[in-house]
Amino acid sequence: MRLSLFKSSKPPSQMADADVDITPVMNVFVILIPFLVSMAVFTHVSIIEFSVPSDMGQGTGQSDGKPRQKLTLLLTESFLGISEGENLLDSIPKLDNGLYDFNLLSQTLSVRRFQSDFQDEIIVAVRDGVAFKYAVKAMDVSRECGFTKIGISGAAADPSKGR
């Protein structure tokens, strides 16, 4: 009995060169590459630029040292509010279908922007219970109205109690 690594009795150097058939692998690549390229179109990265509002800064331009108030867009469970400091300037209730009226908000912000001391800054304050998509939509509407510096903040339901 003869033990050998080769199935045939001839050594590999004497065997005929075998052709490697790469057609199945090429077929896979022909299908796979266009598929991967087409899927790359569906991947989009979106960036929302916002900042945390500061307490001080260029808002202290008055002689008495008090900061000037910026416009604040308040999102609650039942209405959209536009305020300047503690003064509520506008209140936009939800529509009958339970959605926010972003068209009316856009018109109101366009008017209020020119009445504000800071025509390019707004703070979007969101109460607990408001879906994130509405906060993003409010920031988009603010940007469309000409506000370039958008801050985001939480809004307490009862500021006197801190909740």
Side-chain angles (χ1 to χ4, degrees):
M1 182 163 143
R2 186 173 147 203
L3 294 175
S4 174
L5 295 174
F6 305 112
K7 291 183 181 179
S8 67
S9 59
K10 297 179 186 176
S13 61
Q14 295 176 355
M15 293 178 75
D17 290 336
D19 290 335
V20 179
D21 187 16
I22 60 169
T23 305
V25 174
M26 292 302 293
N27 288 341
V28 168
F29 284 128
V30 165
I31 294 170
L32 186 64
I33 290 174
F35 175 74
L36 292 175
V37 169
S38 69
M39 291 305 292
V41 173
F42 297 112
T43 336
H44 297 287
V45 177
S46 297
I47 298 174
I48 300 174
E49 292 186 24
F50 65 91
S51 63
V52 179
S54 61
D55 292 335
M56 301 299 268
Q58 66 177 348
T60 59
Q62 294 177 344
S63 60
D64 58 1
K66 294 182 181 178
R68 294 183 304 194
Q69 302 296 327
K70 298 178 183 172
L71 278 180
T72 302
L73 172 58
L74 176 65
L75 277 81
T76 69
E77 294 84 6
S78 56
F79 69 95
L80 296 170
I82 300 173
S83 65
E84 194 168 40
E86 294 180 6
N87 301 327
L88 184 64
L89 303 174
D90 296 299
S91 176
I92 303 169
K94 279 188 166 181
L95 298 171
D96 294 334
N97 58 7
L99 298 176
Y100 294 105
D101 191 356
F102 286 111
N103 292 328
L104 182 57
L105 175 66
S106 176
Q107 295 169 3
T108 308
L109 281 178
S110 296
V111 171
R112 291 291 181 189
R113 178 175 170 244
F114 294 107
Q115 297 171 352
S116 173
D117 291 336
F118 301 101
Q119 294 185 358
D120 61 341
E121 297 182 40
I122 191 167
I123 299 169
V124 177
V126 184
R127 287 209 179 136
D128 292 339
V130 176
F132 180 70
K133 65 181 180 180
Y134 297 122
V136 171
K137 179 67 176 171
M139 288 190 288
D140 289 341
V141 169
S142 300
R143 192 173 300 109
E144 290 169 5
C145 291
F147 293 99
T148 56
K149 297 178 183 176
I150 300 172
I152 190 162
S153 174
D158 188 359
S160 63
K161 295 181 182 178
R163 302 185 246 144

